[in-house]
Amino acid sequence: MAKATTAKPKAKVPAKTTTAAEAQDTVTHTHRDEAKSRFTAALDEAKAGAAALKAEATDRTSEYTTRARGKSEDTLTDAKTKAADLAVEGKAKASDVLTGLGKVVSENAATLDEKLGPKYGDYARSASRSLQETATKLDTKSVDELGEDAREFVRKSPGMAVGIAAVAGYMISRLFRR
């Protein structure tokens, strides 16, 4: 006896139908993708805006720096000119003071001869000549030459320079204290 085999019919797989939940999931996924792309676009736009602001700030900073340098150079030039003018004026006044002091000492040398003796009158005349010579040297030298002479003096005898500065500072402080 032969067995008859019967083939079982295969079950038909129904065509894929989307359920409401699957459709909702697809719509949600589409909205999420759209939101992501919009957010990415907004980030890109914000980055571009920040880069533009940075470039503008850099340009303005450069412009302001250039202006400030120009003004500071002008101010420095003006200050140097004013300082040079004041130094020349101070030199002229110092020379006039030394000349006047020399004349006063010379005029009083005769009185010193009478009251204290000829030795002190000679000291006064010698001091008067020194003051006159110093005033003449001061008149003939430029401010730059005087500055170089002062630097040379400080190099040669720094102790004396410090001592002179201390005495001058003390005298100036006493003068302004009153």
Side-chain angles (χ1 to χ4, degrees):
M1 239 183 24
K3 282 188 178 179
T5 41
T6 56
K8 290 184 182 176
K10 290 188 176 180
K12 283 187 176 181
V13 176
K16 188 155 186 165
T17 58
T18 56
T19 64
E22 290 175 339
Q24 182 64 31
D25 191 35
T26 304
V27 169
T28 303
H29 200 36
T30 303
H31 288 305
R32 187 178 301 145
D33 289 343
E34 184 180 339
K36 282 182 181 179
S37 68
R38 285 185 181 181
F39 183 73
T40 304
L43 279 177
D44 291 342
E45 188 177 332
K47 287 178 184 178
L53 286 174
K54 179 182 177 186
E56 183 180 349
T58 302
D59 291 345
R60 284 188 180 183
T61 301
S62 175
E63 179 183 334
Y64 292 144
T65 301
T66 303
R67 282 187 199 170
R69 281 193 183 128
K71 286 183 180 182
S72 67
E73 288 173 3
D74 292 344
T75 303
L76 182 60
T77 303
D78 292 345
K80 285 180 179 181
T81 303
K82 182 72 172 173
D85 292 345
L86 288 173
V88 169
E89 184 180 322
K91 180 184 84 132
K93 285 183 180 180
S95 176
D96 291 344
V97 167
L98 287 174
T99 301
L101 184 60
K103 286 180 183 178
V104 168
V105 170
S106 178
E107 291 170 357
N108 289 318
T111 307
L112 289 173
D113 281 340
E114 293 173 9
K115 293 188 177 185
L116 300 174
K119 182 178 179 182
Y120 293 103
D122 289 341
Y123 287 147
R125 281 184 271 287
S126 175
S128 173
R129 275 191 303 276
S130 293
L131 288 170
Q132 294 290 340
E133 289 170 4
T134 303
T136 304
K137 285 180 185 177
L138 194 60
D139 277 338
T140 59
K141 289 190 176 186
S142 71
V143 175
D144 293 333
E145 291 172 329
L146 291 172
E148 186 57 40
D149 289 348
R151 283 193 275 296
E152 188 64 31
F153 174 75
V154 170
R155 276 189 221 116
K156 285 183 180 178
S157 52
M160 185 166 299
V162 169
I164 291 171
V167 169
Y170 175 75
M171 293 175 78
I172 290 172
S173 71
R174 297 291 293 180
L175 180 75
F176 287 116
R177 184 179 289 175
R178 296 180 188 162

